[in-house]
Amino acid sequence: MIRELTHFIGGKPVPGGSGSFGDIHDPNTGTVQARVPLATAEETRAAVSDAAEAQVAWAEWNPQRRARVLLRFLHLVEAERDTLARLLSSEHGKTVADADGDIQRGLEVVEFAAGIPHLLKGEFTDNAGSGIDVYSLRQPLGVVAGITPFNFPAMIPLWQLAPAVACGNAFVLKPSERDPSVPVRLAELFAEAGLPPGVLNVIHGAREAVDTLLTDDRVAAVAFVGSTRVAEHVYTTATAHGKRAQCFGGAKNHLIVMPDADLDQAADALIGAGYGSAGERCMAISVAVPVGQATADALRERLVARIGELRLGRSDDPGADFGPLVGSDALERVREYVEIGVDEGAELVVDGRGAEVPEPGGFFIGPSLFDHVRPDMRIYREEIFGPVLSIVRADDYEHALRLPSEHEYGNGVAIFTRDGDTARDFTRRVNTGMVGVNVPIPVPVAYHSFGGWKRSMFGDLNQFGTDSIRFFTQAKTVTSRWPSGIREGASFTIPTMG
Ligand code: NAD
C-alpha cells in the first residue's frame, strides 16, 4: 500500500477529500513513494476558516507565552533531528547532511522569533503635548498564508511561519507538493509544543489551492518563495486583492574571481556553491566570472580537476557530494539546457549527462561546466536550477561588476579578492540584494534579513529579521489624554502640539 499524506488542520490530520492526488517520488530510484492530496478551493477555504477562528484567542496570549511554544518546538525538533533530515532527503534528493543544514537554518529563525516579547515592543512618547502621551503598538494581521518551494522544505516554511505565529497570527501553509512530508511533521511538532489547534494549518495542493488563498478576503498577507514566474503571479494577484505580499523568486548568482584572489579557495567555493544540492538552491552560484584571461585559465584548470573528484551518489550515501534532482521534469530541463548551451556555441568542458549514476531510474545528472559563455546566451540569462556552472570571462573589474548588476535577477553575488578596496567598492556598487566577500553563499544570519533585488523579489520587506516582524504586523498609533477636569471647548482647527 502506498503511503497517503493528509492535510493538517485544526491540530489534526485531515484526509484528502474530493480533489485529485499528486505523486511524491523517491528521486534516488524514480519510483512513486507516496501520494499527496491536492486541495480543492472548498477544502482550502475550510483551512482558512479554521485558522480565522483560532487566531482570535491566540492573539490574546501574551508574547512571552507564545515564545515558550517556540522554545518547546526547538527541543522537540532536536530530539528527532536525524529522522527529519532523512525524511527530507528521501523526498528532495539532497544528501542527509545537507538536509540537516536545511533544518538548522530554519531553526535559527525560530530562535530569532522566540525573542518576540522584545521584538514587539512599541514606542512611547511621554507628554507629546500638554497631558498627551503618544504610543505605538504592532498588532497581528489575522490569517496569513505561506506558499513554499520544494528546494528547502524545512527552512523556508520555518522562515515564514515562526515570525508570523510569534506575532499572533494564524498561518496557513501550502508547501510544495513535491516534498511535503517534513512540513506536516513540523506542524505536528508545533502542536505537541502547545500551539493551539488551527494556529498552524498545512494544506497541500497546487494552483487551485494557491489561487484560493490569494483571493480569500480573510487572508491578510501572503508570503511566497518559488520561481519568478509564479512569484510575479502571486504578487500581482494577492496585491490586487488587497493583501500584503512578499514574493521571492529565481536567481542567477555570480561569483567574481579577481586576479589577486586565492584561486584554490575560489575554486573550492565554486564547486561547493555550484554543485552542492545538485545546484537546486536559490543561492547556488551558477556563473563564475574570472577577471582576465590568465585568471580564467588558472581557475578553469582547478575547476576541472575538482569536478573529476566529485561524487554523485544516492542522497542517503554519506560519501556523496550531491544526489539526484527532485524530479524527471527537472532532469529533462537540465539536460535540455546543456544541449542549448552547446547549440549556442559555449564550450562544454565537462558534460554531466554521461556521468555514471548510482541507480538507473533515479533523477541523476553529473556536474557540467561551460566556458566562454556570453551574456546573450540563454544558459546565462535563464535559471537552470541544476548542477551546471558557466564561466563568463571578464576583461577587467568594471566588466565583472556590470555582469551581475545588469542581469535581470539580483539575489546573491560574491567576490573573491585579497584587496579590501576592491571588495568595498564592489559591495557598494553591485546591483544585487545579498553580497558575499570571499563567502560564496551569503545567506544572512536570522537576525539580519534575506531578500534579493530586481526580478528575484516582488514586495518591500525581506524574510526574517525585523523586516519579518513588520511584514506580519500592522502598526497602531495611540494619542491619549486623560480628563483633568479642564474644558477647552470644541476646536475647529487641526490639533497641533504647539
Ligand atoms: P515553483 O514556483 O514551481 O513552486 C513554488 C510554489 O508555488 C509551490 O508551492 C507550488 O505548488 C506553487 N505553484 C507552482 N506553480 C503554480 C502556479 N501556476 N500557480 C500557483 N502556485 C503555483 O518553484 P519550485 O520549483 O518549487 O522552487 C524552485 C524555485 O524557487 C527556483 O526558481 C528558486 O530560485 C526559487 N527559490 C527562491 C528562493 C528565494 O528566496 N529567492 C528560495 C528558494 C527557492
Side-chain angles (χ1 to χ4, degrees):
M1 271 281 283
I2 201 146
R3 184 165 62 94
E4 201 164 283
L5 266 74
T6 54
H7 306 295
F8 188 81
I9 301 169
K12 54 182 192 305
V14 173
S18 53
S20 53
F21 282 79
D23 290 336
I24 302 172
H25 288 90
D26 173 352
N28 291 306
T29 59
T31 54
V32 175
Q33 57 165 313
R35 295 192 333 142
V36 58
L38 305 177
T40 59
E42 198 184 331
E43 288 170 305
T44 309
R45 279 195 286 272
V48 175
S49 301
D50 187 79
E53 205 171 306
Q55 191 268 332
V56 179
W58 174 241
E60 288 303 313
W61 282 41
N62 70 56
Q64 222 159 348
R65 266 185 87 197
R66 295 203 296 262
R68 283 186 202 120
V69 173
L70 300 189
L71 294 171
R72 280 194 294 270
F73 170 79
L74 288 168
H75 287 292
L76 293 174
V77 173
E78 273 318 327
E80 60 177 77
R81 179 107 173 220
D82 186 56
T83 314
L84 268 174
R86 285 178 188 285
L87 178 62
L88 195 160
S89 157
S90 74
E91 291 184 357
H92 177 288
K94 63 175 77 175
T95 63
V96 175
D98 198 27
D100 185 70
D102 186 330
I103 296 165
Q104 175 61 27
R105 290 308 296 249
L107 294 183
E108 289 170 11
V109 172
V110 182
E111 289 165 353
F112 166 76
I116 198 67
H118 180 73
L119 292 164
L120 275 185
K121 278 192 308 193
E123 295 170 324
F124 186 88
T125 302
D126 170 53
N127 223 24
S130 176
I132 292 178
D133 300 328
V134 179
Y135 59 96
S136 60
L137 319 170
R138 296 214 71 95
Q139 296 192 321
L141 302 174
V143 178
V144 298
I147 299 146
T148 52
F150 81 84
N151 70 325
F152 281 100
M155 179 182 88
I156 292 176
L158 291 173
W159 281 7
Q160 297 178 346
L161 71 88
V165 301
C167 288
N169 300 289
F171 194 87
V172 178
L173 172 66
K174 205 303 287 170
S176 170
E177 64 277 31
R178 289 172 174 272
D179 49 9
S181 293
V182 166
V184 173
R185 185 64 194 137
L186 295 176
E188 288 169 354
L189 291 175
F190 262 114
E192 249 180 77
L195 194 71
V199 174
L200 170 58
N201 288 338
V202 182
I203 183 101
H204 303 292
R207 182 158 189 162
E208 183 174 351
V210 172
D211 285 348
T212 305
L213 292 171
L214 301 183
T215 52
D216 188 314
D217 286 344
R218 296 163 302 169
V219 175
V222 175
F224 172 90
V225 180
S227 59
T228 287
R229 181 182 61 81
V230 184
E232 195 165 23
H233 161 69
V234 169
Y235 186 75
T236 51
T237 314
T239 52
H241 286 80
K243 302 178 196 321
R244 277 185 195 191
Q246 53 166 202
C247 303
F248 301 88
K252 197 80 182 177
N253 305 315
H254 297 56
L255 189 149
I256 315 298
V257 183
M258 295 300 294
D260 69 345
D262 177 332
L263 284 187
D264 286 314
Q265 195 189 55
D268 286 346
L270 279 165
I271 293 291
Y275 301 116
S277 199
E280 290 176 321
R281 292 183 183 136
C282 68
M283 290 293 270
I285 295 290
S286 47
V287 184
V289 186
V291 174
Q293 297 303 331
T295 313
D297 292 342
L299 183 71
R300 169 174 160 163
E301 191 183 284
R302 285 168 170 78
L303 289 174
V304 171
R306 281 164 174 78
I307 290 172
E309 292 162 7
L310 275 176
R311 247 195 83 194
L312 174 64
R314 282 182 53 97
S315 64
D316 53 6
D317 174 353
D321 292 312
F322 68 93
L325 292 167
V326 71
S328 58
D329 54 341
L331 182 60
E332 201 42 50
R333 187 191 60 240
V334 176
R335 287 179 162 281
E336 220 175 278
Y337 270 114
V338 175
E339 197 55 48
I340 290 169
V342 172
D343 291 346
E344 287 177 318
E347 183 192 353
L348 183 57
V349 182
V350 181
D351 185 352
R353 293 172 299 180
E356 200 181 312
V357 299
E359 299 257 3
F363 307 133
F364 293 96
I365 186 162
S368 292
L369 178 71
F370 278 108
D371 195 359
H372 302 286
V373 174
R374 292 189 319 266
D376 60 316
M377 294 178 176
R378 280 184 61 195
I379 57 163
Y380 175 76
R381 294 198 319 268
E382 298 170 15
E383 183 182 44
I384 299 174
F385 222 54
V388 181
L389 184 61
S390 293
I391 299 176
V392 179
R393 295 172 175 236
D395 302 331
D396 53 28
Y397 168 70
E398 288 295 332
H399 182 195
L401 172 66
R402 270 201 311 279
L403 287 164
S405 297
E406 291 176 0
H407 202 284
E408 70 166 328
Y409 293 121
N411 213 38
V413 70
I415 186 166
F416 274 61
T417 178
R418 287 190 170 100
D419 185 277
D421 203 24
T422 307
R424 184 169 187 277
D425 185 77
F426 183 79
T427 53
R428 285 180 57 78
R429 289 171 63 203
V430 71
N431 187 14
T432 297
M434 291 172 281
V435 187
V437 176
N438 299 314
V439 171
I441 305 183
V443 177
V445 288
Y447 39 95
H448 284 258
S449 76
F450 181 107
W453 286 5
K454 299 180 279 183
R455 289 180 64 75
S456 293
M457 188 211 182
F458 304 87
D460 322 278
L461 292 167
N462 275 356
Q463 304 191 79
F464 59 76
T466 48
D467 266 21
S468 64
I469 307 303
R470 290 183 61 201
F471 182 75
F472 288 117
T473 57
Q474 51 197 341
K476 182 181 278 179
T477 314
V478 182
T479 304
S480 86
R481 175 166 65 178
W482 290 92
S484 61
I486 304 163
R487 283 194 61 190
E488 289 171 350
S491 168
F492 298 97
T493 56
I494 178 92
T496 65
M497 300 294 175

Short mmCIF file of all heavy atoms in Angstrom, two decimals, residues 147-152 156 159 174-178 205-207 210-211 224-231 233-234 248-251 281-282 383 385 411 450 452 456 463, ligand 1:
data_model
loop_
_atom_site.label_atom_id
_atom_site.label_comp_id
_atom_site.label_asym_id
_atom_site.label_seq_id
_atom_site.Cartn_x
_atom_site.Cartn_y
_atom_site.Cartn_z
N ILE A 147 3.38 30.12 0.91
CA ILE A 147 3.45 29.17 -0.21
C ILE A 147 4.92 28.94 -0.48
O ILE A 147 5.67 29.90 -0.73
CB ILE A 147 2.74 29.75 -1.45
CG1 ILE A 147 1.26 30.00 -1.12
CG2 ILE A 147 2.87 28.82 -2.66
CD1 ILE A 147 0.67 31.19 -1.80
N THR A 148 5.36 27.69 -0.38
CA THR A 148 6.80 27.45 -0.34
C THR A 148 7.28 26.50 -1.45
O THR A 148 6.50 25.70 -1.97
CB THR A 148 7.20 26.90 1.05
OG1 THR A 148 6.38 25.77 1.36
CG2 THR A 148 7.01 27.96 2.12
N PRO A 149 8.57 26.58 -1.80
CA PRO A 149 9.13 25.78 -2.89
C PRO A 149 9.62 24.43 -2.40
O PRO A 149 9.71 24.19 -1.20
CB PRO A 149 10.31 26.63 -3.35
CG PRO A 149 10.81 27.26 -2.09
CD PRO A 149 9.60 27.47 -1.21
N PHE A 150 9.99 23.58 -3.36
CA PHE A 150 10.44 22.23 -2.98
C PHE A 150 11.85 22.23 -2.40
O PHE A 150 12.23 21.31 -1.68
CB PHE A 150 10.39 21.30 -4.22
CG PHE A 150 11.60 21.44 -5.12
CD1 PHE A 150 12.77 20.74 -4.85
CD2 PHE A 150 11.58 22.31 -6.21
CE1 PHE A 150 13.89 20.91 -5.66
CE2 PHE A 150 12.69 22.47 -7.01
CZ PHE A 150 13.85 21.76 -6.73
N ASN A 151 12.66 23.27 -2.72
CA ASN A 151 14.10 23.07 -2.50
C ASN A 151 14.57 23.27 -1.07
O ASN A 151 15.66 22.85 -0.73
CB ASN A 151 14.91 23.92 -3.48
CG ASN A 151 14.83 25.39 -3.19
OD1 ASN A 151 13.78 25.87 -2.77
ND2 ASN A 151 15.91 26.11 -3.41
N PHE A 152 13.75 23.90 -0.21
CA PHE A 152 14.07 23.96 1.22
C PHE A 152 12.79 23.68 2.01
O PHE A 152 12.19 24.59 2.59
CB PHE A 152 14.65 25.33 1.59
CG PHE A 152 16.11 25.47 1.23
CD1 PHE A 152 16.50 26.14 0.08
CD2 PHE A 152 17.09 24.90 2.04
CE1 PHE A 152 17.83 26.25 -0.26
CE2 PHE A 152 18.43 25.01 1.71
CZ PHE A 152 18.81 25.69 0.56
N ILE A 156 12.37 27.11 4.59
CA ILE A 156 11.53 28.23 4.16
C ILE A 156 10.18 28.26 4.87
O ILE A 156 9.77 29.32 5.34
CB ILE A 156 11.45 28.31 2.62
CG1 ILE A 156 12.84 28.71 2.12
CG2 ILE A 156 10.40 29.33 2.17
CD1 ILE A 156 13.03 28.74 0.65
N TRP A 159 11.06 29.88 8.09
CA TRP A 159 11.37 31.31 7.93
C TRP A 159 10.08 32.14 7.93
O TRP A 159 10.05 33.25 8.43
CB TRP A 159 12.09 31.57 6.61
CG TRP A 159 13.55 31.22 6.60
CD1 TRP A 159 14.26 30.59 7.59
CD2 TRP A 159 14.49 31.50 5.55
NE1 TRP A 159 15.57 30.45 7.20
CE2 TRP A 159 15.74 30.99 5.96
CE3 TRP A 159 14.37 32.09 4.30
CZ2 TRP A 159 16.88 31.09 5.17
CZ3 TRP A 159 15.51 32.19 3.50
CH2 TRP A 159 16.76 31.70 3.94
N LYS A 174 0.96 26.33 2.52
CA LYS A 174 0.76 25.47 1.35
C LYS A 174 2.18 25.12 0.87
O LYS A 174 2.78 25.85 0.10
CB LYS A 174 -0.01 26.26 0.27
CG LYS A 174 -0.81 25.42 -0.72
CD LYS A 174 0.00 24.40 -1.47
CE LYS A 174 0.90 24.95 -2.54
NZ LYS A 174 1.85 23.95 -3.11
N PRO A 175 2.72 23.98 1.36
CA PRO A 175 4.09 23.62 0.98
C PRO A 175 4.14 23.06 -0.44
O PRO A 175 3.09 22.78 -1.03
CB PRO A 175 4.46 22.55 1.99
CG PRO A 175 3.17 21.91 2.38
CD PRO A 175 2.09 22.96 2.22
N SER A 176 5.35 22.88 -0.94
CA SER A 176 5.50 22.26 -2.26
C SER A 176 4.88 20.86 -2.22
O SER A 176 5.09 20.10 -1.26
CB SER A 176 6.97 22.16 -2.64
OG SER A 176 7.09 21.36 -3.79
N GLU A 177 4.18 20.52 -3.27
CA GLU A 177 3.55 19.19 -3.35
C GLU A 177 4.58 18.10 -3.70
O GLU A 177 4.26 16.92 -3.72
CB GLU A 177 2.40 19.21 -4.37
CG GLU A 177 2.80 19.46 -5.81
CD GLU A 177 2.97 20.96 -6.15
OE1 GLU A 177 3.36 21.73 -5.26
OE2 GLU A 177 2.75 21.31 -7.33
N ARG A 178 5.85 18.53 -3.96
CA ARG A 178 6.86 17.53 -4.33
C ARG A 178 7.46 16.83 -3.11
O ARG A 178 7.86 15.68 -3.18
CB ARG A 178 8.00 18.20 -5.10
CG ARG A 178 7.61 18.63 -6.49
CD ARG A 178 8.74 19.45 -7.07
NE ARG A 178 8.52 19.79 -8.45
CZ ARG A 178 8.87 19.01 -9.47
NH1 ARG A 178 9.46 17.87 -9.27
NH2 ARG A 178 8.63 19.42 -10.71
N GLY A 205 -1.50 21.18 -2.03
CA GLY A 205 -2.22 21.49 -3.26
C GLY A 205 -1.32 22.13 -4.28
O GLY A 205 -0.11 22.26 -4.09
N ALA A 206 -1.96 22.55 -5.36
CA ALA A 206 -1.25 23.20 -6.45
C ALA A 206 -1.96 24.52 -6.74
O ALA A 206 -2.39 25.21 -5.82
CB ALA A 206 -1.20 22.27 -7.66
N ARG A 207 -2.15 24.83 -8.02
CA ARG A 207 -2.64 26.16 -8.38
C ARG A 207 -4.01 26.50 -7.76
O ARG A 207 -4.23 27.62 -7.31
CB ARG A 207 -2.70 26.28 -9.91
CG ARG A 207 -3.15 27.66 -10.29
CD ARG A 207 -2.77 28.06 -11.67
NE ARG A 207 -3.10 29.48 -11.79
CZ ARG A 207 -2.65 30.29 -12.70
NH1 ARG A 207 -1.83 29.84 -13.59
NH2 ARG A 207 -3.00 31.55 -12.73
N VAL A 210 -3.56 27.53 -4.20
CA VAL A 210 -2.85 28.81 -4.11
C VAL A 210 -3.78 29.96 -4.50
O VAL A 210 -3.89 30.96 -3.78
CB VAL A 210 -1.58 28.79 -5.00
CG1 VAL A 210 -0.95 30.17 -5.08
CG2 VAL A 210 -0.58 27.78 -4.47
N ASP A 211 -4.46 29.81 -5.61
CA ASP A 211 -5.32 30.91 -6.07
C ASP A 211 -6.46 31.17 -5.09
O ASP A 211 -6.91 32.31 -4.95
CB ASP A 211 -5.84 30.62 -7.49
CG ASP A 211 -4.74 30.83 -8.53
OD1 ASP A 211 -3.69 31.41 -8.17
OD2 ASP A 211 -4.90 30.42 -9.70
N PHE A 224 5.50 34.26 -0.23
CA PHE A 224 5.73 33.26 -1.27
C PHE A 224 7.23 33.13 -1.54
O PHE A 224 7.95 34.12 -1.60
CB PHE A 224 5.03 33.67 -2.58
CG PHE A 224 5.40 32.77 -3.74
CD1 PHE A 224 4.65 31.63 -4.01
CD2 PHE A 224 6.50 33.04 -4.54
CE1 PHE A 224 5.00 30.78 -5.06
CE2 PHE A 224 6.87 32.18 -5.59
CZ PHE A 224 6.11 31.05 -5.85
N VAL A 225 7.66 31.89 -1.79
CA VAL A 225 9.02 31.66 -2.31
C VAL A 225 8.91 30.61 -3.40
O VAL A 225 8.29 29.56 -3.19
CB VAL A 225 9.98 31.19 -1.20
CG1 VAL A 225 11.38 30.96 -1.77
CG2 VAL A 225 10.06 32.20 -0.06
N GLY A 226 9.52 30.86 -4.54
CA GLY A 226 9.49 29.90 -5.65
C GLY A 226 10.07 30.54 -6.89
O GLY A 226 10.88 31.47 -6.81
N SER A 227 9.64 30.07 -8.05
CA SER A 227 10.19 30.59 -9.30
C SER A 227 9.64 32.00 -9.57
O SER A 227 8.58 32.36 -9.07
CB SER A 227 9.80 29.66 -10.45
OG SER A 227 8.40 29.57 -10.52
N THR A 228 10.36 32.75 -10.39
CA THR A 228 9.96 34.14 -10.67
C THR A 228 8.60 34.20 -11.37
O THR A 228 7.78 35.07 -11.07
CB THR A 228 11.05 34.84 -11.49
OG1 THR A 228 12.14 35.09 -10.60
CG2 THR A 228 10.60 36.16 -12.07
N ARG A 229 8.35 33.26 -12.27
CA ARG A 229 7.07 33.28 -12.99
C ARG A 229 5.91 33.20 -12.00
O ARG A 229 4.94 33.99 -12.07
CB ARG A 229 7.03 32.08 -13.96
CG ARG A 229 5.77 31.97 -14.79
CD ARG A 229 5.82 30.72 -15.69
NE ARG A 229 5.93 29.48 -14.93
CZ ARG A 229 4.89 28.85 -14.36
NH1 ARG A 229 3.68 29.33 -14.46
NH2 ARG A 229 5.08 27.72 -13.69
N VAL A 230 6.00 32.29 -11.05
CA VAL A 230 4.89 32.14 -10.09
C VAL A 230 4.93 33.27 -9.05
O VAL A 230 3.87 33.77 -8.64
CB VAL A 230 4.93 30.73 -9.42
CG1 VAL A 230 3.74 30.55 -8.51
CG2 VAL A 230 4.96 29.64 -10.48
N ALA A 231 6.12 33.72 -8.68
CA ALA A 231 6.23 34.82 -7.70
C ALA A 231 5.49 36.05 -8.22
O ALA A 231 4.78 36.73 -7.48
CB ALA A 231 7.69 35.15 -7.43
N HIS A 233 3.05 36.14 -10.45
CA HIS A 233 1.60 35.84 -10.46
C HIS A 233 1.03 36.01 -9.05
O HIS A 233 -0.02 36.64 -8.85
CB HIS A 233 1.38 34.42 -10.98
CG HIS A 233 0.04 33.84 -10.63
ND1 HIS A 233 -1.14 34.30 -11.18
CD2 HIS A 233 -0.32 32.85 -9.76
CE1 HIS A 233 -2.16 33.62 -10.68
NE2 HIS A 233 -1.69 32.75 -9.81
N VAL A 234 1.73 35.46 -8.06
CA VAL A 234 1.24 35.53 -6.68
C VAL A 234 1.21 36.99 -6.22
O VAL A 234 0.24 37.45 -5.62
CB VAL A 234 2.12 34.67 -5.74
CG1 VAL A 234 1.80 34.92 -4.27
CG2 VAL A 234 1.94 33.18 -6.07
N PHE A 248 9.39 35.93 -3.26
CA PHE A 248 10.81 35.77 -3.60
C PHE A 248 10.93 34.77 -4.76
O PHE A 248 10.33 33.70 -4.71
CB PHE A 248 11.58 35.29 -2.36
CG PHE A 248 11.45 36.27 -1.23
CD1 PHE A 248 10.39 36.18 -0.33
CD2 PHE A 248 12.33 37.32 -1.10
CE1 PHE A 248 10.24 37.11 0.69
CE2 PHE A 248 12.19 38.25 -0.09
CZ PHE A 248 11.13 38.15 0.81
N GLY A 249 11.70 35.16 -5.78
CA GLY A 249 11.75 34.36 -7.00
C GLY A 249 13.11 33.76 -7.29
O GLY A 249 13.91 33.51 -6.39
N GLY A 250 13.37 33.56 -8.56
CA GLY A 250 14.56 32.84 -9.03
C GLY A 250 15.83 33.67 -8.97
O GLY A 250 15.84 34.81 -8.50
N ALA A 251 16.90 33.08 -9.48
CA ALA A 251 18.22 33.71 -9.30
C ALA A 251 19.20 33.27 -10.37
O ALA A 251 19.00 32.26 -11.05
CB ALA A 251 18.77 33.33 -7.93
N ARG A 281 19.54 25.36 -5.41
CA ARG A 281 19.45 26.36 -4.33
C ARG A 281 19.29 27.72 -4.99
O ARG A 281 19.96 28.00 -5.98
CB ARG A 281 20.75 26.41 -3.52
CG ARG A 281 21.04 25.20 -2.68
CD ARG A 281 22.32 25.46 -1.87
NE ARG A 281 22.71 24.31 -1.09
CZ ARG A 281 23.97 23.86 -0.99
NH1 ARG A 281 24.94 24.47 -1.64
NH2 ARG A 281 24.24 22.81 -0.25
N CYS A 282 18.45 28.57 -4.37
CA CYS A 282 18.30 29.90 -4.94
C CYS A 282 19.57 30.72 -4.73
O CYS A 282 19.77 31.74 -5.35
CB CYS A 282 17.12 30.62 -4.33
SG CYS A 282 17.39 31.02 -2.61
N GLU A 383 17.53 30.82 -15.42
CA GLU A 383 17.90 29.99 -14.27
C GLU A 383 17.79 28.52 -14.68
O GLU A 383 16.72 28.07 -15.10
CB GLU A 383 16.95 30.28 -13.11
CG GLU A 383 17.29 29.52 -11.85
CD GLU A 383 16.30 29.79 -10.71
OE1 GLU A 383 15.08 29.81 -10.96
OE2 GLU A 383 16.77 29.98 -9.58
N PHE A 385 18.85 25.85 -12.55
CA PHE A 385 18.50 25.15 -11.32
C PHE A 385 18.94 23.69 -11.36
O PHE A 385 18.18 22.76 -11.11
CB PHE A 385 16.99 25.25 -11.04
CG PHE A 385 16.70 25.51 -9.59
CD1 PHE A 385 17.28 26.59 -8.93
CD2 PHE A 385 15.86 24.69 -8.86
CE1 PHE A 385 17.03 26.83 -7.59
CE2 PHE A 385 15.60 24.93 -7.51
CZ PHE A 385 16.19 26.00 -6.89
N ASN A 411 19.62 38.15 -6.79
CA ASN A 411 19.50 37.52 -5.47
C ASN A 411 20.80 37.64 -4.69
O ASN A 411 20.92 38.46 -3.79
CB ASN A 411 19.10 36.06 -5.65
CG ASN A 411 18.21 35.56 -4.52
OD1 ASN A 411 17.35 36.31 -4.05
ND2 ASN A 411 18.39 34.33 -4.09
N PHE A 450 16.83 38.42 4.69
CA PHE A 450 17.13 37.75 3.42
C PHE A 450 16.21 38.28 2.34
O PHE A 450 14.99 38.26 2.48
CB PHE A 450 16.91 36.24 3.60
CG PHE A 450 17.20 35.41 2.38
CD1 PHE A 450 18.34 34.60 2.33
CD2 PHE A 450 16.34 35.41 1.28
CE1 PHE A 450 18.60 33.81 1.21
CE2 PHE A 450 16.61 34.62 0.16
CZ PHE A 450 17.75 33.83 0.13
N GLY A 452 16.33 39.22 -2.26
CA GLY A 452 17.03 39.64 -3.47
C GLY A 452 16.47 40.94 -4.00
O GLY A 452 15.53 41.51 -3.43
N SER A 456 14.24 38.98 -8.62
CA SER A 456 14.35 37.93 -7.60
C SER A 456 13.42 38.21 -6.43
O SER A 456 13.31 37.39 -5.51
CB SER A 456 15.79 37.83 -7.08
OG SER A 456 16.64 37.37 -8.10
N GLN A 463 12.67 38.58 4.17
CA GLN A 463 12.34 37.46 5.06
C GLN A 463 13.18 37.56 6.32
O GLN A 463 14.32 38.01 6.27
CB GLN A 463 12.66 36.13 4.37
CG GLN A 463 11.98 35.96 3.03
CD GLN A 463 12.10 34.55 2.52
OE1 GLN A 463 11.38 33.66 2.94
NE2 GLN A 463 12.99 34.35 1.57
P1 NAD B 1 7.64 26.83 -8.13
O1 NAD B 1 7.46 28.25 -8.46
O2 NAD B 1 7.39 25.81 -9.16
O3 NAD B 1 6.69 26.43 -6.89
C1 NAD B 1 6.65 27.20 -5.70
C2 NAD B 1 5.28 27.05 -5.06
O4 NAD B 1 4.29 27.60 -5.93
C3 NAD B 1 4.87 25.61 -4.79
O5 NAD B 1 4.20 25.54 -3.55
C4 NAD B 1 3.92 25.28 -5.94
O6 NAD B 1 2.94 24.35 -5.59
C5 NAD B 1 3.29 26.63 -6.24
N1 NAD B 1 2.95 26.80 -7.66
C6 NAD B 1 3.60 26.27 -8.74
N2 NAD B 1 3.02 26.69 -9.89
C7 NAD B 1 1.99 27.48 -9.53
C8 NAD B 1 1.02 28.24 -10.26
N3 NAD B 1 1.00 28.23 -11.59
N4 NAD B 1 0.12 28.97 -9.57
C9 NAD B 1 0.13 29.00 -8.22
N5 NAD B 1 1.03 28.29 -7.48
C10 NAD B 1 1.95 27.56 -8.12
O7 NAD B 1 9.13 26.69 -7.53
P2 NAD B 1 9.91 25.37 -7.12
O8 NAD B 1 10.29 24.63 -8.35
O9 NAD B 1 9.18 24.64 -6.06
O10 NAD B 1 11.21 26.00 -6.44
C11 NAD B 1 12.35 26.39 -7.15
C12 NAD B 1 12.36 27.88 -7.44
O11 NAD B 1 12.26 28.62 -6.22
C13 NAD B 1 13.64 28.37 -8.09
O12 NAD B 1 13.31 29.31 -9.08
C14 NAD B 1 14.40 29.03 -6.95
O13 NAD B 1 15.34 30.01 -7.35
C15 NAD B 1 13.29 29.62 -6.18
N6 NAD B 1 13.68 29.89 -4.80
C16 NAD B 1 13.84 31.19 -4.44
C17 NAD B 1 14.24 31.48 -3.15
C18 NAD B 1 14.42 32.91 -2.72
O14 NAD B 1 14.48 33.16 -1.53
N7 NAD B 1 14.52 33.85 -3.64
C19 NAD B 1 14.46 30.45 -2.23
C20 NAD B 1 14.25 29.14 -2.65
C21 NAD B 1 13.87 28.86 -3.94
#
